[in-house]
Amino acid sequence: MKIAQVSPLFESVPPKGYGGTERVISYLTEELVRQGHEVTLFATADSITDAKLVPSVERSLRAEMLNRSWLAYDAIQMDKVAKLANNFDIIHFHTDYLHFPLIRHIGTPHVTTLHGRLDLPELVPVFEHFSSCPMVSISDSQRTPLPWANWCGTVYHGLPPDLYRFHPEPGKYFAFLGRISPEKRVDRAVEIALSCNTPLYVGAKIDKADEAYFDREIRPLFEHPLIHYIGEVDERQKHALLAGAKALLFPIDWPEPFGLVMIEAFSCGVPVIAYNHGSVPEILEEGVNGFVVHNQQEAMQAAKHIETIDRASCRASFDRRFTACHMAENYLQVYQRLIAR
């Protein structure tokens, strides 16, 4: 099958640091290539892939988003997709709704995976106007604000099975990974760790938009001797941080469409304690690979009994549901259905 993958230009594929969407695009692209498909990746020039790379900008735009118009490079990318569209059996977009006006004029089958939250009021008129566009959700819960949209499947994210090693022995600290922002609630993670008198290691980036929040709410919490802030971590640092943890704390306060870090933890054999928001109850199996909680009291109790979770069961749950092979096979089924139409 001849497949185009169209990535956002904010990060390279895969990203050098934080960047869940581009990381998933990389895993999917490389797995499709491994399975023998002819894949073209539209992404930044500094991306690394075994697919054919069609770049639209020299490097990822995240660091320079406030200094220049990223829309200029998106316009170039979409024009390149349009010119090559007839070369593909299907075009798979990961660029939110940016491409919707374009695909009305392209005859090639296409699908869009939505990677972000959909409970924002400004999205309703967009998806109503482009209601015929076929879309894939990354969890069933993600669809909740737009149940009437043209959903053609839910495909969970997946990781290469050898990306992280299984670590059967728990460490002596908790881990928090991702971003420091109000909805991620690292403050809850700090409170949980301190209630157990257990160190917490925080590997997380801080966006410019959240710097004031960090200075006001979070920085004072990090002054406690049990709390260790590492900053944004790369893939190697993330593996080391997860592998040595007794549990990953995921005390989110928003409808997370898919918590990629949860399945990264499972692949290491690390159980997860997560608040019951968004996709959490779809991904986390209660008592098998962690605990789903509803408040801080439940979270603290779960943390104190985390040793009751078998780390081998965590890894087994990953192998059973969340490998890149599973993800690619599920997307191929979606592609085939759309092409058949």
Side-chain angles (χ1 to χ4, degrees):
M1 192 180 294
K2 296 180 179 179
I3 305 167
Q5 297 289 335
V6 185
S7 173
L9 301 174
F10 297 130
E11 298 284 356
S12 59
V13 178
K16 305 298 187 292
Y18 182 88
T21 296
E22 294 81 7
R23 197 173 303 283
V24 170
I25 294 169
S26 176
Y27 300 150
L28 174 60
T29 298
E30 303 314 304
E31 178 60 25
L32 290 170
V33 171
R34 190 191 70 79
Q35 293 188 18
H37 298 281
E38 187 177 328
V39 185
T40 299
L41 174 65
F42 293 83
T44 62
D46 58 343
S47 297
I48 300 172
T49 180
D50 288 331
K52 178 183 177 181
L53 179 63
V54 178
S56 300
V57 64
E58 183 178 351
R59 62 181 61 86
S60 60
L61 298 177
R62 174 161 69 107
E64 303 185 49
M65 280 176 59
L66 299 179
N67 301 324
R68 58 181 181 177
S69 174
W70 53 269
L71 282 172
Y73 300 98
D74 283 324
I76 294 170
Q77 182 187 52
M78 293 306 158
D79 185 61
K80 291 187 175 185
V81 172
K83 287 181 177 179
L84 296 174
N86 291 335
N87 296 342
F88 309 118
D89 296 313
I90 192 158
I91 304 173
H92 187 170
F93 291 95
H94 303 267
T95 48
D96 289 326
Y97 49 81
L98 185 68
H99 54 280
F100 282 1
L102 171 72
I103 57 180
R104 285 183 181 272
H105 308 286
I106 292 178
T108 305
H110 56 84
V111 67
T112 300
T113 293
L114 296 172
H115 291 266
R117 66 189 302 172
L118 302 180
D119 59 334
L120 305 176
E122 62 268 25
L123 296 181
V124 174
V126 174
F127 288 105
E128 284 181 341
H129 186 76
F130 295 100
S131 59
S132 63
C133 294
M135 298 184 294
V136 167
S137 53
I138 57 177
S139 65
D140 290 339
S141 68
Q142 185 192 29
R143 301 184 184 193
T144 302
L146 305 172
W148 39 262
N150 187 17
W151 300 110
C152 57
T154 289
V155 179
Y156 294 139
H157 291 336
L159 314 175
D162 57 352
L163 183 64
Y164 297 126
R165 296 188 309 277
F166 171 57
H167 291 260
E169 297 300 323
K172 297 182 178 180
Y173 62 86
F174 295 129
F176 177 97
L177 281 162
R179 280 186 297 116
I180 292 179
S181 60
E183 70 273 14
K184 294 288 188 176
R185 295 305 298 263
V186 70
D187 56 321
R188 286 177 174 172
V190 170
E191 186 179 23
I192 295 165
L194 295 182
S195 74
C196 300
N197 196 32
T198 299
L200 173 68
Y201 283 80
V202 178
K205 75 165 187 171
I206 307 171
D207 287 335
K208 288 187 178 297
D210 296 313
E211 287 178 352
Y213 163 76
F214 173 75
D215 289 335
R216 182 181 67 254
E217 305 288 343
I218 304 303
R219 188 188 296 274
L221 302 179
F222 285 0
E223 295 176 0
H224 194 284
L226 284 177
I227 310 303
H228 306 275
Y229 178 53
I230 301 170
E232 185 173 357
V233 295
D234 59 22
E235 198 68 19
R236 180 187 59 81
Q237 293 170 314
K238 181 191 294 184
H239 183 197
L241 183 59
L242 277 175
K246 62 193 301 185
L248 171 74
L249 303 184
F250 196 68
I252 57 171
D253 196 17
W254 73 297
E256 181 100 42
F258 190 99
L260 187 63
V261 69
M262 289 195 288
I263 67 172
E264 291 173 333
F266 299 156
S267 69
C268 293
V270 175
V272 176
I273 299 170
Y275 265 64
N276 187 21
H277 293 302
S279 62
V280 165
E282 293 179 53
I283 298 167
L284 198 154
E285 299 173 68
E286 179 72 20
V288 175
N289 49 23
F291 296 110
V292 179
V293 300
H294 301 82
N295 53 56
Q296 281 296 81
Q297 191 62 37
E298 290 183 8
M300 293 172 189
Q301 284 299 113
K304 291 171 182 176
H305 296 91
I306 199 63
E307 70 282 352
T308 62
I309 301 295
D310 180 23
R311 290 171 76 93
S313 294
C314 294
R315 175 68 197 203
S317 71
F318 164 77
D319 291 330
R320 187 173 67 252
R321 302 178 64 203
F322 299 117
T323 66
C325 183
H326 284 124
M327 174 173 61
E329 289 174 351
N330 289 332
Y331 272 121
L332 285 168
Q333 292 178 18
V334 173
Y335 299 163
Q336 290 161 358
R337 289 197 300 270
L338 291 170
I339 290 170
R341 293 181 186 177

